[in-house]
Amino acid sequence: MKDDAIEIITRFYHDFFLKTIPIFNSLSQRKLVVRDKADGSKVSSVDLEIERLFLEFITKYFPDFYVCSEEMEFKWPPDSGSFMVLDPLDGTHNYLAGFPLYGVMATIVVEKSPYLSLIFLPYEEMISSKGLFTATSGWGAWRWHLGKPESRIYISGQSCLENSFLLLEGSGRDLNSSPLIQKIISRTARSRKALSMAWSVTRLAAASLFPNGIDVLICVNNKITDNIHAPLFAQEAGGICTDFNGNTVTLNCKNLILTNHSLHASIMSRI
């Protein structure tokens, strides 16, 4: 399993992720085409160009996989038990505003269960060559350096909700209007909203690498193409991911709680 995962991840890194960097860097070099989607979010020509690059990559190396990408029509859940899910540019609004909090997320699903999730942060890759994070079923979660696994990453060991650092992802209106979310925010030491799933998930899973890591991530009415990349990172980094009722997540879950087991129990007791 480890050798198979390393081969797949290495191929993703060299033949897909690194090739997205020139596309992202084109923001200041040419005029982007941006349009509004039906849900009120934006899609740019960069989203579509990265999606095109991904489809070429999959056709070359994984031709038997059905692809679900945020910017294309697809059936959900697919009839096929094995498929790939892509978010070509998570954090489009951040990217268009000049913030570096954006990324590319991809997950391989085998027999309707996530097998491998990959998150690539172009900005971190450009400044440190450490922009790739992965979670593989049975092999843990890792931060990579120059295409090689460098650091095993682990979720926070914080046990006190009142001292915890909370991240929130999902619809801004839902985050602001939910009594449940406001109640949890009031119980934590600090919180941030809508960084982007790519950054929020990696900061949660890699809390062990930072002096004041993220302790809890809660997603409210979030897109499936955002959420599907998160559970495997939480689980393989030593944490837990459930819906708001404490149930194991499914492919259709829009509401997620990701944290360690101790904080999860504290949150569930307050819901």
Side-chain angles (χ1 to χ4, degrees), residues 19 27 38 84 94 101 103 106 113 125 149 155-156 167 217 250 264:
K19 292 181 179 180
L27 177 60
M84 293 194 189
N94 289 341
L101 303 180
S113 294
E125 185 67 23
I155 212 157
S156 162
L167 293 184
L217 169 60
T250 69
H264 185 268

Side-chain angles (χ1 to χ4, degrees), residues 93-150:
H93 289 250
N94 289 341
Y95 173 72
L96 295 175
F99 292 112
L101 303 180
Y102 57 86
V104 185
M105 303 191 292
T107 290
I108 298 176
V109 177
V110 177
E111 296 183 359
K112 301 193 181 298
S113 294
Y115 161 68
L116 170 63
S117 291
L118 310 96
I119 296 179
F120 183 67
L121 306 177
Y123 181 74
E124 285 209 340
E125 185 67 23
M126 287 186 280
I127 65 173
S128 68
S129 300
K130 298 180 181 181
L132 177 60
F133 295 78
T134 67
T136 309
S137 180
W139 186 47
W142 294 79
R143 179 174 69 176
W144 293 58
H145 180 220
L146 293 172
K148 295 182 180 180
E150 179 192 61

Side-chain angles (χ1 to χ4, degrees), residues 4-20 23 48-67 84-86 104-108 116 118 120 132:
D4 290 342
I6 289 177
E7 180 180 354
I8 294 171
I9 295 166
T10 301
R11 184 163 288 169
F12 262 87
Y13 178 74
H14 289 288
D15 293 338
F16 173 57
F17 288 128
L18 288 184
K19 292 181 179 180
T20 68
I23 300 174
L48 301 178
E49 197 166 339
I50 293 173
E51 182 178 80
R52 178 193 57 77
L53 182 68
F54 182 76
L55 293 175
E56 291 178 355
F57 169 75
I58 295 303
T59 299
K60 182 177 180 180
Y61 293 110
F62 305 95
D64 297 329
F65 275 79
Y66 180 80
V67 175
M84 293 194 189
V85 183
L86 171 73
V104 185
M105 303 191 292
T107 290
I108 298 176
L116 170 63
L118 310 96
F120 183 67
L132 177 60

Side-chain angles (χ1 to χ4, degrees), residues 40-41 80 147 150 163 187 208 214-215 217:
S41 61
S80 171
E150 179 192 61
N163 294 332
R187 293 282 187 170
S208 58
I214 300 303
D215 305 304
L217 169 60

Side-chain angles (χ1 to χ4, degrees), residues 216-269:
V216 183
L217 169 60
I218 297 180
C219 305
V220 181
N221 198 26
N222 213 14
K223 297 176 182 177
I224 293 170
T225 49
D226 283 344
N227 279 356
I228 194 169
H229 313 283
L232 198 57
F233 269 98
Q235 294 157 6
E236 292 297 325
I240 184 172
C241 176
T242 72
D243 65 15
F244 285 2
N245 294 316
N247 299 319
T248 301
V249 297
T250 69
L251 295 178
N252 294 312
C253 280
K254 292 187 175 183
N255 300 314
L256 303 178
I257 299 173
L258 305 97
T259 184
N260 61 45
H261 291 267
S262 177
L263 289 179
H264 185 268
S266 296
I267 293 170
M268 293 306 299
S269 70

